[in-house]
Amino acid sequence: MKNIQKKLLGISLLLLVMAFPSCTSELDQSPDTGSSIPGSEFFSTPESYKQNLAKLYAGFATSGQQGPAGSPDISGIDEGTSQYIRGYWMMQELTTDEAVIGWNDGTIKDFHSQAWTTSDNFINATFARFSFQIVNCNEFLRQTTDEKLAARGIDSALKAEIATYRAEARFLRAITYWHLIDTFGGGSLVTEDSPTTFYYPEYATRAELYKFIDEELTAITPLLKAPKSNEAFRVDQAAAWMLQAKLYMNAKVYIGTDHYAEAVPLISKITSSAYSLHTNYNQLFLADNDKNGAQNEFIFAIAFDGLRTQTYGGTTFLTHAPVGGSMNAASFGINGGWGGIRTTAAFVDKFDANTIDTRGQFYKNGQTKEIKDISNFTDGFAIQKFRNVDVNGKQGSDKAGNFSDADFPIFRLADAYLMYAECAVRGAAGATITNATAYVNALRTRAKGATVTQGDLTLDFILDERARELHWEGHRRTDLIRFGKFTGGSYIWPWKGGSASGSPTQSYRDLFPIPAKALATNQKLQQNTGY
């Protein structure tokens, strides 16, 4: 199924090029069609509906209309840097104890020192990427209404299938809005029902966006397919449960109200569903993680293929950028490392040096644990998590070694286990410490780590365990904020605040600024406090 889905993703890059324009920078209410083909032209065959749905999924994987570079969706920045996963990953990981980067590309080092400004081009590109994804989802929904399907003579069987496509499109829009409120707070709220003539969208608060996402997920969940009954890489009910549970677990941050108890029944549905833990942690991040057993743990993953979805973002970035120094690029299935990303001593210290834990995939040969100079790749241990080889060490499909086949997990079952454990420790109704301990030990046993007792489960332990299990998967910033340790001085790591030993940062940096370019485009947007 992966090849079929990847083929659709490849086809979709050629679709809607005119209807869904590139170079967006604001949450416009509809694609600019001044010189474009009407969107309806791309829904002229029964097959086109699925192909256009594939375009929406491809929006998380690709960076432009031809890939890997040359016709970007987002202008004014290197195309690979504008890719969805890469941009979101930098904001979620480089700002934390889990990752530093040695490059001097523009303002990229401002992420780790938490010194970004409203004019940061990387932040602007990610804000624009969210915009582009939402615009595309809205247009798909406009083109698949009952009225338009009836006018095109769509039969009842296909119409029923398109109803599922629409629910999936609404999910993809909802997760993008979740990323928006998590990183930027408020913004423009535009849907398929927004005006199609030009206008400046009103500003929506974080609470208003939260309410929209919550209501959308409640509405679409019954319309999605049952867990693990959909095609590979397409979302199902478990993905909706996971996203809504994520929303509830961060509700105290987003809207000032605790909703952990509401997350518990959703998480319980996931843990009792058809998804299962893979037996080998390290295999979760290999080139064949669509078929080596990892796919049974992945609730929602972004498909990458070295031949069909070529990009310098995604897992290509996460495979090349962490390789440097004396590391053997061939063992990662690539033609060379980019010598950029490492981790801090604070993250390394979360692993017991006297205990085997296969999740601590550190490369130490020629690397120092402490970072004296961020620009020097050999300062800081390297992490060997993502590899473009299969379980037998065979290279991925791109034999030139440029682009990776490894898929990127957005949600996986292990995360649900730890979410349940956190709810239990926080005293949320419906979650028991007994079950929480069993879930944590299932992960630690897989990683060959020491098991724990109920008394070991504290909030600090849960936060550290999430780092050990989920590092470099785009969760860390959100987790640290939820636990009150991202900014301020309650938790200091090397180079936080710009000093080698680390220093406190201002609390307003729990949110990124609305980019100055977006504010200039739509003055109805409101800047976050502190910027």
Side-chain angles (χ1 to χ4, degrees):
M1 291 305 297
K2 180 175 184 177
N3 288 335
I4 296 173
Q5 182 69 7
K6 292 288 183 62
K7 183 177 180 181
L8 284 172
L9 293 178
I11 291 171
S12 72
L13 294 178
L14 303 177
L15 297 170
L16 310 183
V17 174
M18 297 297 289
F20 293 170
S22 62
C23 305
T24 186
S25 64
E26 222 303 327
L27 284 172
D28 299 316
Q29 74 281 7
S30 64
D32 177 6
T33 58
S35 60
S36 65
I37 301 170
S40 59
E41 292 295 314
F42 295 96
F43 294 85
S44 58
T45 67
E47 297 77 17
S48 64
Y49 291 91
K50 190 172 186 180
Q51 292 168 350
N52 282 285
L53 176 67
K55 167 65 179 178
L56 303 184
Y57 282 100
F60 294 98
T62 58
S63 56
Q65 303 300 337
Q66 64 183 38
S71 183
D73 297 327
I74 310 299
S75 64
I77 195 169
D78 173 80
E79 183 174 331
T81 307
S82 74
Q83 192 269 337
Y84 196 115
I85 297 300
R86 179 168 171 175
Y88 184 67
W89 190 95
M90 290 193 301
M91 293 168 72
Q92 288 288 93
E93 296 291 351
L94 290 181
T95 57
T96 76
D97 56 344
E98 290 187 354
V100 298
I101 195 163
W103 304 335
N104 291 313
D105 295 356
T107 56
I108 198 165
K109 287 182 179 175
D110 288 350
F111 281 120
H112 195 76
S113 61
Q114 297 188 2
W116 52 78
T117 69
T118 61
S119 60
D120 189 286
N121 211 24
F122 297 107
I123 294 173
N124 181 66
T126 302
F127 188 85
R129 176 59 65 180
F130 295 164
S131 165
F132 187 71
Q133 184 70 359
I134 290 167
V135 166
N136 288 358
C137 290
N138 286 341
E139 184 62 14
F140 180 87
L141 293 169
R142 286 192 185 99
Q143 295 296 334
T144 54
T145 62
D146 287 345
E147 293 77 13
K148 290 195 175 182
L149 296 181
R152 295 171 191 152
I154 300 300
D155 64 45
S156 58
L158 179 56
K159 185 178 178 181
E161 190 66 20
I162 291 172
T164 303
Y165 297 169
R166 285 176 58 84
E168 292 177 41
R170 291 168 70 181
F171 172 90
L172 299 178
R173 181 178 61 183
I175 196 171
T176 305
Y177 269 123
W178 174 55
H179 289 157
L180 178 71
I181 70 168
D182 188 81
T183 52
F184 293 102
S188 299
L189 175 57
V190 289
T191 72
E192 72 275 23
D193 297 322
S194 298
T196 56
T197 56
F198 181 80
Y199 80 112
Y200 290 111
E202 296 292 334
Y203 176 77
T205 66
R206 204 177 202 183
E208 289 170 334
L209 291 175
Y210 178 101
K211 181 175 183 290
F212 172 77
I213 298 168
D214 190 20
E215 291 177 348
E216 277 286 276
L217 293 171
T218 298
I220 67 174
T221 299
L223 306 177
L224 293 168
K225 294 190 176 182
K228 284 200 72 64
S229 67
N230 209 345
E231 287 183 287
F233 303 105
R234 288 175 57 191
V235 297
D236 58 26
Q237 290 178 336
W241 295 330
M242 192 77 170
L243 179 53
Q244 197 162 27
K246 289 281 187 184
L247 194 69
Y248 291 157
M249 291 194 68
N250 291 285
K252 190 66 179 293
V253 173
Y254 298 158
I255 60 173
T257 305
D258 186 322
H259 283 295
Y260 288 102
E262 287 81 356
V264 174
L266 297 171
I267 299 168
S268 296
K269 288 181 180 180
I270 297 165
T271 57
S272 61
S273 73
Y275 288 94
S276 60
L277 288 184
H278 184 40
T279 57
N280 185 306
Y281 178 83
N282 293 339
Q283 290 179 2
L284 294 169
F285 313 100
L286 299 182
D288 60 347
N289 61 356
D290 62 312
K291 54 181 176 290
N292 65 19
Q295 76 277 11
N296 296 319
E297 182 171 334
F298 291 176
I299 296 168
F300 179 40
I302 305 303
F304 286 99
D305 185 284
L307 299 178
R308 298 182 179 90
T309 58
Q310 294 184 349
T311 172
Y312 292 113
T315 53
T316 289
F317 168 71
L318 293 175
T319 303
H320 283 269
V323 174
S326 64
M327 301 172 76
N328 179 13
S331 68
F332 292 82
I334 56 177
N335 54 15
W338 296 349
I341 313 172
R342 298 93 67 207
T343 194
T344 72
F347 176 67
V348 175
D349 287 343
K350 298 186 186 308
F351 291 84
D352 186 344
N354 299 315
T355 303
I356 296 175
D357 189 325
T358 59
R359 299 173 298 185
Q361 303 166 80
F362 302 114
Y363 184 88
K364 303 177 182 179
N365 187 24
Q367 307 287 134
T368 62
K369 180 181 175 182
E370 304 297 333
I371 301 174
K372 294 182 178 179
D373 181 359
I374 288 182
S375 296
N376 183 11
F377 182 83
T378 56
D379 281 22
F381 287 170
I383 288 182
Q384 308 171 91
K385 187 161 186 172
F386 291 90
R387 292 175 180 262
N388 186 35
V389 295
D390 66 14
V391 294
N392 297 312
K394 183 180 178 181
Q395 187 182 43
S397 61
D398 176 20
K399 301 309 177 184
N402 290 310
F403 304 104
S404 178
D405 282 352
D407 303 319
F408 184 83
I410 299 293
F411 297 144
R412 56 186 178 92
L413 183 61
D415 188 4
Y417 280 10
L418 292 173
M419 290 164 64
Y420 182 99
E422 181 182 339
C423 288
V425 173
R426 292 185 184 275
T432 70
I433 293 295
T434 300
N435 288 342
T437 306
Y439 285 147
V440 169
N441 281 333
L443 303 182
R444 294 179 71 83
T445 299
R446 173 173 70 175
K448 304 185 187 305
T451 56
V452 296
T453 65
Q454 294 184 18
D456 294 319
L457 298 191
T458 65
L459 286 179
D460 284 343
F461 173 86
I462 294 296
L463 180 61
D464 287 350
E465 190 68 10
R466 287 187 62 80
R468 286 184 285 265
E469 177 70 29
L470 301 169
H471 63 279
W472 284 28
E473 295 177 53
H475 301 281
R476 187 58 170 169
R477 172 189 157 277
T478 301
D479 288 348
L480 287 172
I481 291 172
R482 187 172 66 257
F483 283 78
K485 295 189 175 184
F486 180 64
T487 53
S490 62
Y491 177 40
I492 301 295
W493 57 84
W495 294 98
K496 176 182 179 180
S499 62
S501 59
S503 58
T505 54
Q506 299 131 312
S507 62
Y508 72 81
R509 293 191 182 276
D510 282 351
L511 280 175
F512 290 100
I514 303 296
K517 290 182 180 179
L519 286 168
T521 301
N522 180 5
Q523 295 182 10
K524 291 184 177 181
L525 290 172
Q526 297 178 20
Q527 186 56 275
N528 292 320
T529 301
Y531 294 104

